[in-house]
Amino acid sequence: MAAVAPLDPHFRPMTLADLDVVMEVESRAYTFPWSRGIFADCISAGYACWVMEVDQVIQGHGILSKGMDEIHLLNVCIRRETQGHGYGRHFVRHLIERAAGMGGQYMFLEVRPSNRVAIALYDSLGFAQVGRRKEYYPGDPEREDALVLSLRLADWR
């Protein structure tokens, strides 16, 4: 697995016009993808919704929300065909920088315990487990817990 993406990604705010591609990326990457309506609601609500492009092709998307001094990483997804090329690391770093710029003290996220690659990425960026949500994620046949991870934004850099 490569540590650095071969191309320099460009980040920009997600728009409603991006949703066809966002849904394609989301649906191919996750067994239980978000719906188009959830993405549209996040954009309409003013959440920090981002896409990552390489050569003007969307390679991933991410959503941040703010509540008080906490920033929550609600969704981050990389195109299945380019996973393992360092794009996830680039994108999560971008989202952490945006979270710090939003005035957050802490950034939180949930991750499936079975997603060892994501857990290793978050760990390498300074996230630590602070909790567990029982039966948080849909599953087949059983629901899966979520690990709750946190990063103190002042400690990150």
Side-chain angles (χ1 to χ4, degrees):
M1 194 148 74
V4 176
L7 300 171
D8 189 30
H10 167 73
F11 304 97
R12 65 170 176 79
M14 182 189 299
T15 68
L16 292 174
D18 295 319
L19 291 187
D20 287 342
V21 177
V22 166
M23 287 307 305
E24 173 199 340
V25 172
E26 179 86 1
S27 297
R28 294 190 67 203
Y30 293 131
T31 305
F32 300 96
W34 277 18
S35 70
R36 181 184 194 91
I38 292 173
F39 285 105
D41 288 348
C42 289
I43 293 169
S44 297
Y47 290 0
C49 304
W50 292 90
V51 294
M52 179 183 65
E53 296 178 322
V54 175
D55 292 336
Q56 299 180 343
V57 175
I58 293 175
Q59 297 296 326
H61 54 270
I63 312 282
L64 299 171
S65 70
K66 181 179 181 187
M68 303 293 285
D69 65 347
E70 298 177 359
I71 309 296
H72 199 119
L73 176 56
L74 300 174
N75 183 312
V76 63
C77 182
I78 301 299
R79 186 179 290 275
R80 181 170 288 288
E81 303 84 57
T82 56
Q83 289 178 5
H85 293 100
Y87 291 121
R89 176 172 300 282
H90 278 289
F91 203 11
V92 173
R93 290 178 64 88
H94 170 80
L95 294 169
I96 293 169
E97 289 169 6
R98 297 294 69 76
M102 293 166 69
Q105 298 290 317
Y106 293 91
M107 185 173 182
F108 290 91
L109 61 87
E110 288 86 17
V111 62
R112 289 176 183 266
S114 62
N115 192 343
R116 302 239 180 256
V117 172
I119 293 168
L121 169 63
Y122 297 136
D123 181 62
S124 75
L125 293 172
F127 284 86
Q129 183 176 341
V130 295
R132 186 179 197 103
R133 299 188 197 283
K134 295 301 235 175
E135 300 179 358
Y136 182 81
Y137 288 110
D140 187 18
E142 296 177 3
R143 297 184 68 82
E144 186 173 0
D145 291 354
L147 303 180
V148 180
L149 306 183
S150 178
L151 174 69
R152 185 170 178 262
L153 291 168
D155 293 340
W156 188 81
R157 286 279 170 209

